[in-house]
Amino acid sequence: MDTALKNEMERLTALGLHRRCVEGALEGVAALTLEINRLKKAKNAVICAHVYQTPDIILGIGDLVGDSYKLADDCRKTQADAIIFCGVHFMAETAKILNPSKKVYVPSRNAGCSLSEAITAADVRKLKAAHPGLPVVTYINTSAEVKAESDCIVTSANAEKILKRMYEKHPAVIFIPDRYMGANLAKALGKTPGKDIILWHGACVVHEKFDASLIAAYRRKYPGLAALAHAECPSELISAVDFMGGTGDMLRYVENTNASAYLLVTECGFGELARLKFPGKNFIAMCRLCPYMKSITLNSVLALLKDPAPEEVTVPADIAARAKVAIDKMFELAA
Ligand code: 13P
Ligand code: SF4
């Protein structure tokens, strides 16, 4: 076997990636990560990997890894000429808006998001007309056009903090498009949906379907269990868990606590990553796959590196300029 391939297999094994490969499969994974990392360097490209990607992508080829907020922030600082976004389209659009001079690519045409598809710019204009004077606070899981109609963007990592700041100046806000996250935030802040916070009917296809009634059964089976859920889950489920947050907050919670077991109610890639990062901790799976995130594979990243042009992400300059004002507001208020 070629020495470079042998070394790559050893590198992946040290990262724990052999544990998710059936007998003999690691060699194929190593051949792909080796070639991707070689091409990436040659093209001065950086690979962003959201934590819902598979661990071979996150650990094998990812340069910038994290939740939506961290990835957007990290992208602002990169010196690379090109950004390959292993995440979903709205994340890549955000990277492009923040880096207009860089090329940005997504290695799948199917990497959408049910939340992003739930609302259009015309819908936001109608909401604004129906509630004049109220600021539009928009979850980052939206299109560039929707961001351009917004006053401030938020992610799950900073939504509560930013909403608090908004309420210092406004009696009510429009929060779009996730009705569950909006209701969860309203509850945390003591606000009334429909009165203090105007919601839209969007939902995440992954998080809206978790069954809240199962949490009690897990607790009976695993005494001392810590149950963590993403803020996109319905309120009934959030009431049953110990911690609600974004993926970055959930990882920090696991790192800083010592529960007998952790129930992670979110996309499956997150649990896979948590197992590899914290091998001494016990994780219980109550996860669902995001079909959009999982449309990206090592093979699709390699294909993109060989022929990037068709997968380039572009945002019209006027939309990008308006969306950037709302994204910059997030960085200002989240700091
Ligand atoms: P995070 O910003 O918490 O990683 O969430 C992104 C997302 O799409 C959750 O479904
Ligand atoms: Fe969108 Fe849900 Fe997938 Fe996140 S998990 S990218 S919110 S569909």
Side-chain angles (χ1 to χ4, degrees):
M1 187 190 292
D2 161 75
T3 318
L5 185 59
K6 192 170 161 286
N7 291 344
E8 182 67 353
M9 285 176 72
E10 278 169 19
R11 185 181 76 88
L12 299 184
T13 301
L15 292 167
L17 287 171
H18 61 297
R19 289 203 289 272
R20 62 187 304 277
C21 290
V22 291
E23 185 82 32
L26 187 68
E27 187 175 338
V29 174
L32 286 167
T33 55
L34 192 62
E35 179 69 348
I36 290 168
N37 287 330
R38 190 185 64 74
L39 283 172
K40 166 181 96 176
K41 264 198 203 114
K43 292 173 184 252
N44 192 26
V46 71
I47 295 185
C48 289
H50 184 265
V51 292
Y52 290 166
Q53 295 291 298
T54 48
D56 51 356
I57 291 178
I58 296 176
L59 301 173
I61 60 169
D63 301 301
L64 307 174
V65 173
D67 63 11
S68 318
Y69 182 76
K70 181 175 183 298
L71 290 175
D73 196 24
D74 285 352
C75 277
R76 298 198 290 174
K77 299 160 193 159
T78 180
Q79 298 299 313
D81 295 324
I83 297 170
I84 298 173
F85 221 109
C86 295
V88 289
H89 193 259
F90 75 80
M91 297 178 182
E93 268 189 345
T94 305
K96 179 68 187 175
I97 292 164
L98 294 168
N99 298 277
S101 64
K102 295 188 195 302
K103 298 271 191 192
V104 178
Y105 305 97
V106 178
S108 164
R109 296 200 185 152
N110 297 320
C113 169
S114 65
L115 276 170
S116 182
E117 284 150 25
I119 190 161
T120 64
D123 294 327
V124 187
R125 286 191 288 272
K126 276 188 208 150
L127 272 173
K128 289 199 281 193
H131 304 278
L134 296 195
V136 179
V137 180
T138 298
Y139 191 30
I140 199 165
N141 295 38
T142 43
S143 67
E145 288 77 8
V146 166
K147 288 186 176 77
E149 295 293 338
S150 307
D151 295 290
C152 186
I153 304 307
V154 297
T155 76
S156 54
N158 53 42
E160 191 171 330
K161 179 177 182 179
I162 290 179
L163 277 178
K164 272 189 195 151
R165 299 284 302 271
M166 286 285 169
Y167 282 117
E168 286 167 9
K169 291 198 179 140
H170 305 274
V173 304
I174 298 169
F175 180 84
I176 54 171
D178 188 340
R179 66 177 183 273
Y180 295 122
M181 181 181 277
N184 294 333
L185 288 164
K187 193 170 175 202
L189 294 169
K191 303 292 177 187
T192 308
K195 179 175 156 276
D196 315 309
I197 183 162
I198 309 302
L199 301 179
W200 189 249
H201 51 69
C204 162
V205 286
V206 174
H207 292 93
E208 72 174 337
K209 296 196 183 82
F210 287 116
D211 183 351
S213 69
L214 292 179
I215 307 280
Y218 278 109
R219 287 197 195 281
R220 279 195 296 278
K221 189 161 179 202
Y222 301 96
L225 176 85
L228 287 67
H230 197 278
E232 291 168 6
C233 291
S235 305
E236 193 195 350
L237 189 139
I238 295 298
S239 311
V241 297
D242 303 296
F243 181 79
M244 162 187 100
T247 55
D249 306 309
M250 290 165 81
L251 270 182
R252 275 186 291 279
Y253 184 100
V254 170
E255 190 169 9
N256 298 323
T257 56
N258 262 319
S260 60
Y262 294 89
L263 179 68
L264 304 174
V265 189
T266 189
E267 211 275 343
C268 304
F270 182 82
E272 276 203 86
L273 181 66
R275 273 193 191 95
L276 289 169
K277 272 179 86 80
F278 308 107
K281 300 200 179 201
N282 184 20
F283 295 99
I284 314 300
M286 182 170 167
C287 75
R288 297 177 60 85
L289 289 172
C290 170
Y292 308 104
M293 288 278 182
K294 272 11 192 213
S295 66
I296 296 173
T297 61
L298 286 177
N299 279 305
S300 70
V301 179
L302 182 58
L304 181 142
L305 277 160
K306 288 181 175 166
D307 182 19
E311 314 305 339
E312 186 175 350
V313 174
T314 55
V315 181
D318 56 326
I319 300 283
R322 287 163 57 216
K324 187 168 183 302
V325 174
I327 298 169
D328 285 345
K329 192 76 189 163
M330 168 181 77
F331 286 121
E332 179 198 323
L333 295 182

